[in-house]
Amino acid sequence: MSDSPKPAPRFKFPTAYTILFGLIVIVAGLTWIVPAGEYDQVFNETLGKEVPVPGTYKEVAPNPQGFGAVILAPIAGFYDPVSYEANAIDVALFVLVLGGFIGVVAKTGAISAGITGTMRALRGREKWMIPILMSLFAAGGTTYGMAEETLAFYTIVIPIMIAAGYDTMTGVAIILIGAAMGVLGSTVNAFATVIAADAAGIPFTEGIVLRLVILGVGWLICVAYVMRYAERVRRDPSKSIVADRKEANEVHFLKGGSASEAVEFTLRRKIILLIFAGTFAVMVWGVAAGGWWMAEMSGLFLVSAILVGVIDRLGEEGFTTAFVEGAKELLGVALIIGVARGIVVVMDAGHLTDTILFHSAQAMDGLSPVVFINTMYWLEVALSFFVPSSSGLAVLTMPIMAPLADFAGVGRDLVVTAYQSANGLVNFFNPTFAVVMGALAIGRIPYERWLRFVLPLCGVLTVMIMATLSLGVAIG
């Protein structure tokens, strides 16, 4: 009797590391094919950055990126090997220090006790955490472009969602979609709307009503989408997109425990949780009002970790062990951030960005107002894959694209709205955006499953955005 044939092995989607390195190879290949070009640059005092000058594009000597550049790209994503200027090294270091801080707090048992208490207090009303949290993250996105700093919240929200009967996808969606929707509907965001409006030569308040409409309607769509998915998972865990990882995720995020286990909520643990929450509040204040960035945030979490270790009497060895173990948990996230930045490094070195921008502007000539603004949206969508940074895309495209609106009979404020909506939407799933890949790594969600979850939502949002932009043209 012959053995039954073995089933053919199923295709396994590559990990985030392979996807990102593959994109580095593709971009490097394009530098051998696409003509290199540059715009003249002039320093803008208001923006504090150099911006391209319209009408000055010219082809330059190509600088194709070969094998050596591809190999060095992930390293260059962290820092420039020639000038030693920082790229993503500050974000990666912040992630490691954050991991150490989380590890120390988790060692005290305060997080487990807090999750248990929260679940008991919210029993039967857990679903309302979703709109509340998404509104908070959207507020951060629309006001100051909350992005990298959201990485600090995943290890808090995901365990609470799992304990409430949801899954890791729900936890990641609350933060990533909430903040991204806020950026998409930016109102006073200095890193998107304000920079773009200044580069376009208009006050940032022009067009704010339309942006508020996009923010409000988009937020409602996102909340309804996430709540519908979460409720489906709660009723039937097999409906989860990550159902096969349920047990492993519960062990990882709940440290083998569950929401029903009794964890004593002592006075010491309550004090530690107050410090825990206070640290994040100080971080938000520091970024929004104190001019802080990664170095200051890293220092804050380091000091808080030491304070927690002293309060819980962990001792020198206990503290350092917990800190290193916590940092180790997020090492993969730190590496992904550097590799993702390496894509932009290769593209800039090969002089691709300005060439893409020039030909995009050429394609806009002679279009009717409604077609113009919707084509502008899709061009900004395409450019966002190459330049995921909202401020970087604003400085690059607005000086070139905004004047085109005058010839098309479209307000420059609509061009700003099209830019920020496109950039915000793409950063729901952009593999070149370190925040997306870092969030998925923390949540242990394969990239293709995130696409399966988020792309239908992006389709609905795109229809809403295009309809709103068209309405903006119609009402003038």
Side-chain angles (χ1 to χ4, degrees), residues 217-293:
V217 175
W219 181 83
L220 288 172
I221 291 171
C222 290
V223 168
Y225 188 85
V226 175
M227 289 186 74
R228 178 174 175 271
Y229 169 83
E231 183 61 19
R232 191 166 69 242
V233 169
R234 188 187 66 80
R235 291 182 176 179
D236 183 359
S238 68
K239 300 293 186 182
S240 168
I241 295 178
V242 289
D244 59 317
R245 298 173 173 233
K246 183 177 186 295
E247 292 183 5
N249 284 336
E250 288 177 351
V251 170
H252 177 79
F253 289 105
L254 300 180
K255 308 303 179 186
S258 71
S260 61
E261 290 181 356
V263 181
E264 188 179 358
F265 206 5
T266 63
L267 176 61
R268 182 183 299 174
R269 285 174 174 159
K270 291 177 180 178
I271 293 172
I272 289 172
L273 277 188
L274 284 175
I275 294 172
F276 185 73
T279 300
F280 288 93
V282 172
M283 179 194 74
V284 171
W285 170 85
V287 173
W292 288 12
W293 197 228

Side-chain angles (χ1 to χ4, degrees), residues 285-300:
W285 170 85
V287 173
W292 288 12
W293 197 228
M294 292 300 157
E296 292 82 0
M297 288 194 293
S298 298
L300 170 67

Side-chain angles (χ1 to χ4, degrees), residues 314-396:
L314 291 178
E316 183 270 337
E317 183 177 357
F319 170 80
T320 54
T321 300
F323 191 91
V324 171
E325 287 295 320
K328 188 169 66 176
E329 289 282 347
L330 296 187
L331 177 61
V333 179
L335 293 175
I336 277 178
I337 288 170
V339 178
R341 187 70 64 88
I343 299 169
V344 178
V345 170
V346 170
M347 186 176 66
D348 288 344
H351 304 299
L352 284 183
T353 310
D354 284 2
T355 297
I356 295 170
L357 177 60
F358 172 73
H359 289 290
S360 297
Q362 294 291 100
M364 305 290 289
D365 187 39
L367 300 178
S368 68
V370 171
V371 175
F372 172 88
I373 197 61
N374 284 288
T375 302
M376 178 68 73
Y377 168 76
W378 282 106
L379 284 175
E380 293 286 356
V381 165
L383 288 166
S384 294
F385 282 99
F386 299 100
V387 188
S389 165
S390 58
S391 58
L393 187 65
V395 170
L396 175 70

Side-chain angles (χ1 to χ4, degrees), residues 181 185 187 209-223 464:
M181 186 59 233
T187 50
V209 173
L210 202 66
R211 292 171 203 138
L212 284 170
V213 170
I214 290 175
L215 175 64
V217 175
W219 181 83
L220 288 172
I221 291 171
C222 290
V223 168
M464 182 272 294

